[in-house]
Amino acid sequence: MKTGVIIARFQTPYLHEGHRQLIKQVRDSHNKLIILLGVSPITGSRKNPYDYHTREKMIKKDYPEIIVLPVSDHPSDRVWSENLDNLLKSVFPSEHFCLYGSRDSFIPYYSGKFETVELPEHGDYNATELRKQYADKVFDSNDFRAGILYAYYNQYTKVYPTVDIALFRNNRTEILLGKKAVNNKWRFIGGFSDPEDADYESAAKRELMEECGEMEITEMTYETSRKINDWRYRNEADKIITLLFSCDFIAGSPAAQDDIIDLDWFKLSDLPQMLTDGFISDEHHELFDFMINKYLKK
């Protein structure tokens, strides 16, 4: 008799009734059952919050006799199919397999040599909605608090991309600077790039309009990039790297908006003295040094 293989992700906080019906249906047709858990290359994401070991323990708690193995995602469906076949044959060289999954899971992407069986959906169980139900729940237990630590310590150290903008006017003899409430010093206009931004140029234009209002400008031009010693991340492993862009003012009336509390135009020739006098935000010193060397010391 062939060994039954369920290929799934089980990215839920517990085994729901749909999972249990699925396992029962396959077990009733086979003497041995294997569950292959898909493993994403992205750790700790909203779609894949649980790593392999967490999901393995969840399954093994209720079904200790079931064999659970990881199968890593791959950009090529053909290679992924070959890896899946090789995994099964290397662990169980003398067995034959029947692979089970739903219409929307692995079946459309699998091109290996084993038989596949499409399983119907077992009830109205949506893993995404189930994760959302638990996303903002806080439990008063040591296990819950330990789980938070586990999740953060098993993520890659991150770089947060930001954009800053040097907006010029009058043949680049003047530059627009802003102040934030948390720091009463002048700085470039800017902020975090968003996943919805098409590119960093789009992010720069969006941030400029959000913080200064609608205006007509030229296209964004990349200037340089720097790691920013942002006060929020000084004691963190994660850091900010910003990309500095420049553009020219054409028309409009810039006005402080969002988290900008003040805006003003300054002569480019005043920037060196402003740096010396401590009027420029410490976080942006290197960016101002770059612009001074590029545009004033030609």
Side-chain angles (χ1 to χ4, degrees), residues 38-208:
V39 178
S40 169
I42 306 298
T43 59
S45 68
R46 292 188 178 188
K47 189 174 182 179
N48 294 281
Y50 303 109
D51 63 11
Y52 165 74
H53 296 291
T54 300
R55 290 175 288 152
E56 179 198 28
K57 286 182 177 294
M58 176 179 67
I59 296 169
K60 286 285 194 178
K61 179 180 179 181
D62 291 344
Y63 301 96
E65 75 285 356
I66 292 179
I67 300 165
V68 183
L69 297 172
V71 56
S72 297
D73 292 348
H74 195 282
S76 167
D77 293 340
R78 178 186 60 81
V79 175
W80 176 81
S81 299
E82 292 175 354
N83 291 343
L84 190 156
D85 287 359
N86 291 335
L87 171 64
L88 291 174
K89 293 306 292 184
S90 64
V91 179
F92 308 99
S94 61
E95 297 188 27
H96 300 280
F97 305 95
C98 183
L99 312 184
Y100 290 84
S102 66
R103 181 187 307 137
D104 298 326
S105 59
F106 82 97
I107 291 180
Y109 315 104
Y110 177 71
S111 60
K113 58 187 177 182
F114 299 124
E115 176 188 359
T116 61
V117 176
E118 180 182 318
L119 291 172
E121 297 292 339
H122 290 80
D124 186 20
Y125 300 100
N126 185 299
T128 300
E129 291 302 317
L130 189 56
R131 291 194 295 269
K132 287 181 180 179
Q133 291 177 23
Y134 279 81
D136 61 352
K137 292 186 182 296
V138 177
F139 300 97
D140 183 18
S141 70
N142 290 337
D143 286 344
F144 178 80
R145 290 184 284 271
I148 294 174
L149 288 176
Y150 181 86
Y152 276 103
Y153 272 87
N154 282 276
Q155 290 183 357
Y156 294 116
T157 304
K158 295 182 289 295
V159 169
Y160 294 100
T162 62
V163 290
D164 284 293
I165 305 96
L167 178 62
F168 292 108
R169 74 176 182 182
N170 293 337
N171 294 318
R172 299 210 162 188
T173 61
E174 292 182 299
I175 190 169
L176 184 68
L177 303 179
K179 283 184 179 180
K180 295 188 176 183
V182 72
N183 183 352
N184 192 33
K185 293 186 177 184
W186 296 104
R187 59 191 296 124
F188 291 113
I189 302 300
F192 285 93
S193 177
D194 290 343
E196 293 79 15
D197 294 324
D199 46 49
Y200 288 117
E201 288 82 358
S202 300
K205 183 176 181 180
R206 175 185 53 74
E207 280 292 332
L208 184 62

